[in-house]
């Protein structure tokens, strides 16, 4: 199986990181330059790379790591592939919540309390309108929540369609990527498998 690992460090958000040699053979791709013709901040430019990891059809599985992820174990990739199994996508399990509606409630609650980190990221994003649109189209409660800092997906036409819709939502509609991925997988009939790592893996 041919596996590609992608990460992007654009601007000064994070610093490039070196991972231990892995037990799984893979090709790593580190991006430090912004993609062409993508407007917005450095986070949005890195998000372009995240949502386009399935474009290279020379690979069977593509893995994304946010720039903040420091891999510390040699079986890190093997754990991801084990979680993926025969499924189409696996994403790091969210450490607290299991519902996109709960996530937006939480973010809005914390912003009202003055959380500067969340205010900076979400105050001007239409996060409530986004999930209410998903609710209108039938997205169910308690359908899972994942942290999109670590993703593995099969390079297939169906998943490429999911990722294309994901990018359109977060770029053209200014959507919140973490909840958008949940919706577009659900809409395509794809179940996200949770990745749960052994302690000390990253």
């Amino acid at each position: 199986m041919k596996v590609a690992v992608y990460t992007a460090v654009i601007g000064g958000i994070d610093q490039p990181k070196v991972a231990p040699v892995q037990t799984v053979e893979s090709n790593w791709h580190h991006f430090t330059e912004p993609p062409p013709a993508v407007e917005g901040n450095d986070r949005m430019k890195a998000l372009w790379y995240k949502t386009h990891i399935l474009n290279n059809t020379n690979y069977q599985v593509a893995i994304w790591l946010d720039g903040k992820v420091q891999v510390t174990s040699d079986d890190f990739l093997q754990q991801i592939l084990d979680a993926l199994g025969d499924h189409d996508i696996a994403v790091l399990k969210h450490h607290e919540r299991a519902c996109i509606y709960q996530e937006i409630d939480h973010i809005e609650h914390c912003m009202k309390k003055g959380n500067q980190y969340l205010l900076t990221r979400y105050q001007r994003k239409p996060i409530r309108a986004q999930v209410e649109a998903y609710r209108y189209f039938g997205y169910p409660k308690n359908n899972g929540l994942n942290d999109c800092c670590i993703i593995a997906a099969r390079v297939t036409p169906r998943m490429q369609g999911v990722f294309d819709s994901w990018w359109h939502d977060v770029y053209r509609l200014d959507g919140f990527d973490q909840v958008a991925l949940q919706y577009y997988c659900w809409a395509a009939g794809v179940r996200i498998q949770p990745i749960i790592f052994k302690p000390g893996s990253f």
Side-chain angles (χ1 to χ4, degrees):
M1 179 167 53
K2 293 183 177 180
V3 177
V5 182
Y6 299 92
T7 188
V9 175
I10 309 296
I13 298 176
D14 295 294
Q15 296 298 318
K17 297 173 177 63
V18 177
V21 175
Q22 295 293 296
T23 58
V24 171
E25 185 176 345
S26 59
N27 291 326
W28 290 62
H29 304 269
H30 300 269
F31 298 102
T32 57
E33 296 297 322
V38 174
E39 298 178 0
N41 58 25
D42 291 338
R43 190 179 302 278
M44 181 61 71
K45 292 170 183 176
L47 188 55
W48 184 91
Y49 288 110
K50 180 188 289 191
T51 57
H52 288 78
I53 62 172
L54 304 184
N55 285 12
N56 190 334
T57 56
N58 292 324
Y59 299 104
Q60 294 167 295
V61 173
I63 294 173
W64 170 263
L65 307 178
D66 273 5
K68 67 183 180 182
V69 176
Q70 173 63 71
V71 178
T72 55
S73 66
D74 64 357
D75 65 344
F76 178 82
L77 294 185
Q78 184 62 61
Q79 292 183 66
I80 292 174
L81 294 176
D82 288 345
L84 180 64
D86 294 329
H87 302 281
D88 287 323
I89 186 170
V91 186
L92 179 66
K93 181 178 172 60
H94 195 279
H95 67 288
E96 290 184 55
R97 287 168 291 284
C99 177
I100 66 170
Y101 304 113
Q102 292 173 3
E103 179 71 352
I104 299 308
D105 289 345
H106 171 75
I107 290 171
E108 289 181 335
H109 171 77
C110 291
M111 287 196 295
K112 288 177 183 176
K113 295 288 186 179
N115 184 303
Q116 286 303 310
Y117 172 77
L118 294 177
L119 283 167
T120 299
R121 289 197 66 178
Y122 303 115
Q123 187 175 26
R124 292 179 175 83
K125 293 180 82 67
I127 57 175
R128 175 55 62 184
Q130 180 185 3
V131 295
E132 291 307 323
Y134 298 164
R135 193 194 307 271
Y136 174 82
F137 287 109
Y139 185 85
K141 294 180 180 179
N142 302 312
N143 192 49
L145 187 65
N146 299 85
D147 186 333
C148 293
C149 69
I150 302 174
I151 300 170
R154 295 195 180 279
V155 182
T156 65
R158 178 163 74 159
M159 291 311 301
Q160 287 167 332
V162 168
F163 275 53
D164 286 346
S165 297
W166 185 27
W167 170 245
H168 179 271
D169 196 319
V170 298
Y171 188 59
R172 300 297 179 193
L173 305 178
D174 199 24
F176 176 21
D177 65 310
Q178 185 169 269
V179 301
L181 181 60
Q182 297 285 154
Y183 173 77
Y184 288 104
C185 283
W186 169 81
V190 175
R191 183 71 184 176
I192 298 175
Q193 300 302 306
I195 303 173
I196 303 173
F197 288 95
K198 295 184 296 188
S201 296
F202 73 101

